[in-house]
Amino acid sequence: MHELTKTAAPPRPELHVATEGEFKGWQTWIRDSFENHIGPFWHRLEADGSVRCAFRVEKKHLNGSGNVHGGCFMAFADYCLFAIGRNALNGRGVTVNFACEFLDAGHEGELIECTGEVSRAGGSLIFLRGQMASGERLLFTFSRAKRKSLPQPNA
């Protein structure tokens, strides 16, 4: 699976850390078959406590016009918002709303990075927002509401 190896003592069994290459030290989840197919997508905790996510655009991410497919941006945004909101979610969640703006195209070979924040975390809903850029070029902005997973009976 690309350059992934299992961490010595991961906080969750599906969390992996790259041990070499461009994303050495970055984390990714392998629990989602679709993300595994279109990724890899990566995230890391920054020194200021924020989360940064990234992926390198490959040919498989492009649409027929040679730009990053809008669905790829949306799938990456979904990955990013779970990474950004994972402490507030404290487990799994489901999307109840997603809004986005396509601002510019991404191209093969570019590094796409994403930052964001939890806008509000209430009892059962978490509101998040973020933006993707390639260097200084803003490509995509988004916001989302997620419902925290309800405890499973007999869990």
Side-chain angles (χ1 to χ4, degrees):
M1 281 189 74
H2 300 282
E3 53 195 34
L4 308 179
T5 59
K6 200 172 201 177
T7 60
R12 293 170 28 191
E14 70 273 7
L15 185 64
H16 292 263
V17 178
T19 58
E20 61 188 19
E22 176 179 17
F23 293 101
K24 182 178 181 178
W26 291 63
Q27 302 175 341
T28 192
W29 290 291
I30 60 164
R31 68 176 180 243
D32 189 301
S33 297
F34 181 72
E35 286 174 359
N36 291 340
H37 181 71
I38 64 170
F41 298 144
W42 301 95
H43 66 278
R44 71 175 181 202
L45 188 63
E46 300 287 279
D48 65 1
S50 66
V51 173
R52 178 172 300 275
C53 302
F55 78 101
R56 178 70 63 185
V57 178
E58 300 176 27
K59 186 175 181 79
K60 68 180 178 178
H61 299 125
L62 305 179
N63 62 21
S65 297
N67 300 314
V68 174
H69 193 286
C72 180
F73 274 158
M74 294 175 80
F76 180 53
D78 185 60
Y79 174 93
C80 296
L81 289 174
F82 271 100
I84 292 163
R86 80 181 198 192
N87 289 337
L89 274 170
N90 196 20
R92 296 186 186 260
V94 295
T95 301
V96 296
N97 184 47
F98 181 88
C100 64
E101 297 79 32
F102 296 89
L103 306 174
D104 202 351
H107 307 286
E108 189 171 0
E110 288 185 318
L111 178 67
I112 307 296
E113 294 184 284
C114 178
T115 56
E117 64 185 357
V118 175
S119 306
R120 182 170 186 257
S124 64
L125 289 177
I126 299 170
F127 298 89
L128 307 110
R129 63 181 169 209
Q131 62 182 32
M132 287 179 215
S134 177
E136 297 297 316
R137 213 170 83 250
L138 190 59
L139 304 175
F140 186 85
T141 59
F142 52 94
S143 60
R144 163 172 277 164
K146 289 196 170 292
R147 180 174 304 281
K148 293 181 183 180
S149 292
L150 299 175
Q152 297 297 315
N154 302 321

